[in-house]
Amino acid sequence: MHGHGSPRPGQPPAEPHPAAPRPAPSAPPATLGGPSAAGTVPGPGAVPGPRTAAGVCHGTLGELYQGPLRAGGAPDIALVSFPVDRHSWAYFTPGAGRPGALPPGEKAARAVRLFLDHFGLRLPPGHWRTHSELRVGVGMASSTADIVATLRCLFRLFGLPYDQGVVTGVLAAIERADSVFLDEFALHLSARHQVVRTLGTDIGFHTAFVTEPGTVDTSAVTAPLLRHYARRASEYERCLADLLKGFESADPAAVARAATTSATLSQQVLPKRTFERVLAHRERFGADGVFVAHTGSLIGYLFAHRPHAEAKSELSAFFHSLGHQCSFAQGGYG
C-alpha cells in the first residue's frame, strides 16, 4: 500500500521504530562552510564547501504481496513491495540562494524540516534540484522515494552517518510508506513503518506492464481492505506462506505464483479493468506470474528470464489492443 493517497508525486515482528524522530537534546546548529583557518577538516554536521550533495532512491512496481498480518494484536496491512530499477533523485548545491530553501513537494519539504529539527542543524544558502522516473499516484512509491532521496541527500550534505531509524521516523511522521528505504525485499507493515522480516536480494524479474487510468485514495480504501482480508484470511495466510517459502528457496517461479494469487485476491476488492484478460493470456506469453499495484493502477507480467525482442513486440501489441502503452523494466534484484 502506497503513501500517496492522492497524486503528487522479515519471522517474529521486530520492535517498531519510533513514531517520529526526536530532536537532538540542546544540539546547536552546525557550523557551515569549508575547512577552518587553522586547516582542520569540519566534522559531521558541517557542510564541506560548495560541492553538490545527491540522494537517490528506487521506486516500486506495486507489490508482490499485500494482505493481512497479525503482529501483536489486530491484523495490519502487510506488504512485500516490488522494487524497480527506476529512481527519484534529490540534489542540493550550497552557494548562491536564500538560506533555508526547501525542495519542491510538500512531503519532501516536511522531511527536510524534520531532519534539521532532529539534528539541530540549519540548511546553508543554496538550491535544490530534483528528478524522478516514477509516475505519481499509480503505485510506484513516488512520494516515499522522493522523501528517502531527500533524506539521503541531507545525510551526505552534512557528512552524517546514514541512520535508518531517522529515515523511518521521518516517514512515520509524514505518510504510510513502502519499504523503498531498504535495498532488499522485505515483509513490511506500512502503517507502523515496521520491517517484520527481510527477504534478501536473490529474486529478480523482468516485467512488462501498463498503467490503467485513475488513482486510488489509500485512506479511503483501508476499511474495505481490512474487511476483505478478514473474509479471506486463510487464503491470504496460505499465499503469504507460499511467497515466503519461495524467497527462502530463491525460487522465482514460486514467488511469481504467490504474487499472482495475491493479485487475484486483490481483484475481489480493488479490481483492475484488464486483469482477467492479462491473467488469461499469461501462459501464451510464457510469463511466470502476474503482479499489480494493489492500491494503484499498475498491472503486468513477471518473467524469470528476459523476454526476447519478438516476445516484447507481441506483448506490446497485446497491451495496445487493451488500450495501453506497454513498458518494460527490471524488478527486484537477483
Side-chain angles (χ1 to χ4, degrees):
M1 176 172 292
H2 303 273
H4 44 68
S6 58
R8 154 182 105 237
Q11 188 156 16
E15 289 298 319
H17 295 297
R22 293 188 295 271
S26 305
T31 300
L32 304 176
S36 68
T40 58
V41 177
V47 178
R51 186 168 61 92
T52 295
V56 188
C57 183
H58 66 79
T60 69
L61 291 178
E63 305 83 24
L64 298 178
Y65 173 84
Q66 179 174 305
L69 183 69
R70 188 175 297 275
D76 205 343
I77 297 176
L79 314 173
V80 177
S81 293
F82 185 25
V84 65
D85 191 23
R86 294 184 180 178
H87 300 82
S88 176
W89 289 262
Y91 303 92
F92 185 85
T93 303
R98 63 182 180 86
L102 294 172
E106 179 184 349
K107 292 180 179 181
R110 187 176 177 195
V112 171
R113 296 188 190 100
L114 289 167
F115 180 96
L116 297 175
D117 288 347
H118 176 80
F119 287 107
L121 296 169
R122 284 199 296 261
L123 202 61
H127 62 271
W128 290 91
R129 292 289 185 270
T130 61
H131 178 73
S132 183
E133 300 172 320
L134 307 173
R135 289 188 59 176
V136 178
V138 301
M140 299 189 80
S142 58
S143 65
T144 306
D146 289 347
I147 293 168
V148 174
T150 299
L151 295 173
R152 288 175 173 171
C153 178
L154 290 169
F155 279 110
R156 294 180 64 84
L157 176 69
F158 289 103
L160 295 168
Y162 186 71
D163 188 331
Q164 189 66 70
V166 172
V167 173
T168 53
V170 169
L171 286 169
I174 298 175
E175 66 173 14
R176 180 190 291 270
D178 297 77
S179 58
V180 295
F181 52 86
L182 298 175
D183 286 323
E184 62 178 319
F185 285 104
L187 179 63
H188 179 245
L189 298 177
S190 60
R192 302 188 196 187
H193 300 80
Q194 177 184 352
V195 175
V196 179
R197 181 176 176 179
T198 56
L199 301 174
T201 58
D202 291 335
I203 297 293
F205 293 103
H206 300 275
T207 71
F209 66 95
V210 297
T211 306
E212 296 187 346
T215 60
V216 177
D217 182 346
T218 300
S219 60
V221 302
T222 298
L225 278 176
L226 291 173
R227 290 193 297 268
H228 169 68
Y229 294 162
R231 292 192 299 268
R232 298 288 187 266
S234 61
E235 296 168 78
Y236 276 104
E237 186 176 356
R238 288 193 297 271
C239 176
L240 181 56
D242 290 344
L243 184 80
L244 297 179
K245 288 177 183 177
F247 275 104
E248 289 168 1
S249 58
D251 183 349
V255 171
R257 287 192 298 270
T260 304
T261 300
S262 183
T264 303
L265 288 166
S266 177
Q267 184 71 4
Q268 301 170 16
V269 61
L270 292 173
K272 303 288 186 291
R273 297 176 187 175
T274 61
F275 181 82
E276 300 299 337
R277 281 169 287 178
V278 170
L279 183 63
H281 286 78
R282 180 189 65 79
E283 291 186 10
R284 167 191 167 191
F285 294 117
D288 294 273
V290 172
F291 72 93
V292 298
H294 293 67
T295 53
S297 308
L298 302 174
I299 179 170
Y301 290 121
L302 299 167
F303 297 90
H305 303 286
R306 182 188 299 273
H308 52 73
E310 184 178 349
K312 287 185 175 181
S313 296
E314 292 173 355
L315 285 159
S316 297
F318 168 69
F319 281 118
H320 183 76
S321 74
L322 301 182
H324 300 291
Q325 173 61 47
C326 178
S327 296
F328 301 98
Q330 190 162 354
Y333 306 94

